[in-house]
Amino acid sequence: DGQGKAALPGKLVRKEGDGPTGDPACDHVYDYAKNVYDLYLNELARDSVDGRGGKLIQTVHHRKKYNNAFWDGRQMAYGDGDGQIFSTFIELSVVGHEMSHGVVQYSGGLTYQGQSGALNESFADVLGTVIRQYAKGETIDKADWLIGKGILGPGINGVALRSMKAPGTAYSDALLGQDPQPYHMDFFVNTTSDGGGVHINSGIPNHAFYLYCRYLGGKSWGAPARIWYHALQRLNNTNASFYDWAVRTVDSAIQLYGVGATEVIMLKRAWRLVGLKV
């Protein structure tokens, strides 16, 4: 419990194996952290964020009316929101997203600027939505493909922070503006803000993953997640471009499933549909 203060980690209120505290923020995050851990261990053979069974430290009630959640290189922290723009940050795809930034960090990293930064954000979104689908037992066709569904304030005109199915449609509001995410390289946003558009242009690889999943059907935590994770472990390029990443995912698909496999053919098609011919 951060108790509304900036210092981390705050007061320890629930350890692994302890019963519920009665604080919904604490208890939901505890459960969501387990969902994240289970997906990585059971489906991707990764033991915790660092791959070595490291502790999953989560701090709730960080600062006062704080409109953010983040991975700081060692742990997670969640604000409560200001009640106007954001009502909470404790939602499973958000928890999965932020903890997956830690996975990127411990897998060689992706420089948080420009296209490599957008890939960092996209990998976190991809695993965030996969974790949510995994926990709910949702097949690809039943999922909503939203990141941060339900975290916006009660008066905000929007459904989520981002949509992988339809980038650019998650919100349209006087306070937040219009969701700026593109879905295709033709609409790539060149900007000096947001680290060169890391939260904006991530819509392009996000949409490629969504299209790929729709082509394959079934469960996103099967071949799609395994290929994305396999590619991250073998990328070895902290400044990778979208094209570099697309090539690496196709190479991973070939290594895992064979040159002529449906998993490879459909992946190339998905990348082509967002403007990246591999």
Side-chain angles (χ1 to χ4, degrees), residues 83-250:
Q84 181 180 13
I85 299 176
F86 293 101
S87 59
T88 185
F89 284 90
I90 298 170
E91 186 274 332
L92 182 50
S93 67
V94 173
V95 175
H97 169 104
E98 299 297 351
M99 292 175 69
S100 292
H101 277 309
V103 173
V104 173
Q105 173 187 316
Y106 284 107
S107 301
L110 281 162
T111 303
Y112 204 69
Q113 179 72 33
Q115 289 194 18
S116 60
L119 288 172
N120 194 324
E121 278 298 318
S122 178
F123 182 86
D125 273 355
V126 164
L127 269 294
T129 196
V130 167
I131 288 161
R132 185 163 172 254
Q133 291 172 32
Y134 175 77
K136 296 176 70 175
E138 283 184 334
T139 54
I140 285 163
D141 60 318
K142 299 298 183 184
D144 58 30
W145 295 93
L146 296 173
I147 303 297
K149 181 179 181 180
I151 75 169
L152 299 178
I156 299 295
N157 182 38
V159 293
L161 274 181
R162 292 180 287 279
S163 170
M164 297 178 66
K165 179 179 180 179
T169 68
Y171 57 84
S172 181
D173 183 79
L175 274 176
L176 279 182
Q178 177 66 45
D179 178 359
Q181 282 209 312
Y183 64 90
H184 192 281
M185 288 299 291
D186 285 351
F187 308 107
F188 184 91
V189 178
N190 289 297
T191 178
T192 56
S193 65
D194 185 36
V198 298
H199 292 94
I200 298 171
N201 292 311
S202 55
I204 296 169
N206 277 4
H207 195 52
F209 183 81
Y210 163 76
L211 291 171
Y212 182 48
C213 288
R214 288 308 305 259
Y215 278 136
L216 291 186
K219 299 170 181 176
S220 63
W221 59 89
R226 289 168 189 159
I227 290 167
W228 252 241
Y229 179 74
H230 186 276
L232 181 68
Q233 305 314 304
R234 291 156 182 80
L235 181 61
N236 195 31
N237 181 358
T238 58
N239 296 309
S241 67
F242 286 178
Y243 180 76
D244 294 333
W245 175 249
V247 169
R248 179 61 260 177
T249 60
V250 170

Side-chain angles (χ1 to χ4, degrees), residues 15 25-27 33 39 43 46-47 51 96 105 111 135 147 154 200 211 215 222 238 257:
K15 304 187 301 294
C26 173
D27 295 332
L39 179 282
E43 302 301 324
R46 185 183 188 89
D47 188 1
Q105 173 187 316
T111 303
I147 303 297
I200 298 171
L211 291 171
Y215 278 136
T238 58
Y257 299 100

Side-chain angles (χ1 to χ4, degrees), residues 34-50:
K34 182 181 188 304
N35 293 145
V36 176
Y37 179 84
D38 286 351
L39 179 282
Y40 275 108
L41 182 68
N42 297 336
E43 302 301 324
L44 301 174
R46 185 183 188 89
D47 188 1
S48 193
V49 167
D50 65 356

